[in-house]
Amino acid sequence: MAGGGLAFRYFLSNLLIKILTLCGGYKSYEACKSEEPEKMKTWLHFWIVFTVWTFLSVFLDSMLYYIVPLYPELRVAFVAFLAFGEGAKKIYEPHMEDLITKAEKLIKEKIAELKPKEAQE
């Protein structure tokens, strides 16, 4: 039964995260419509942090689900914090901005490598 309970919690947490992501998408739409730079910046921070977290989750989730108590619930709380608690700004500005700036040249090179040859010309 424990495995079934964990599977349900995993399913439910993923569903709630998808709903929060939809909310983030709509809030981003509203920010773009408002043409207020600060609102746009807030949601860009969200998407940058959320993207990095999603990438890391691919590697960490399968292990952390079994090690960290209430991990599915913590994932939902984290995404809610990013979206509605200014969490993205609190993570992006002091931690990620410098890292991205330092890696910007490498990131641009790797993105260019992913583009089809026809699109690069």
Side-chain angles (χ1 to χ4, degrees):
M1 181 67 184
L6 185 61
F8 177 73
R9 289 172 51 218
Y10 176 79
F11 167 78
L12 188 58
S13 72
N14 280 336
L15 177 62
L16 291 172
I17 288 169
K18 301 299 186 262
I19 291 168
L20 287 168
T21 304
L22 285 171
C23 291
Y26 182 73
K27 297 299 279 183
S28 298
Y29 163 77
E30 285 183 331
C32 289
K33 257 180 81 173
S34 76
E35 296 183 14
E36 293 179 40
E38 206 51 43
K39 281 187 180 180
M40 290 184 218
K41 189 175 178 181
T42 296
W43 288 103
L44 285 171
H45 287 165
F46 168 79
W47 290 112
I48 292 167
V49 175
F50 182 79
T51 300
V52 171
W53 174 76
T54 301
F55 176 76
L56 293 175
S57 293
V58 170
F59 305 103
L60 297 175
D61 278 359
S62 59
M63 178 181 57
L64 293 177
Y65 267 106
Y66 297 100
I67 296 172
V68 178
L70 299 175
Y71 182 68
E73 293 81 1
L74 290 172
R75 290 176 70 233
V76 174
F78 179 72
V79 174
F81 170 69
L82 288 180
F84 304 110
E86 291 194 19
K89 180 180 181 178
K90 292 173 183 172
I91 292 170
Y92 178 81
E93 288 181 352
H95 304 292
M96 294 181 71
E97 190 168 24
D98 288 340
L99 290 172
I100 293 171
T101 300
K102 289 176 185 172
E104 190 170 4
K105 183 180 176 193
L106 176 64
I107 292 168
K108 285 181 179 182
E109 289 171 1
K110 295 302 176 185
I111 290 172
E113 289 176 14
L114 294 173
K115 289 182 182 177
K117 296 288 183 204
E118 305 83 43
Q120 291 179 12
E121 297 172 0

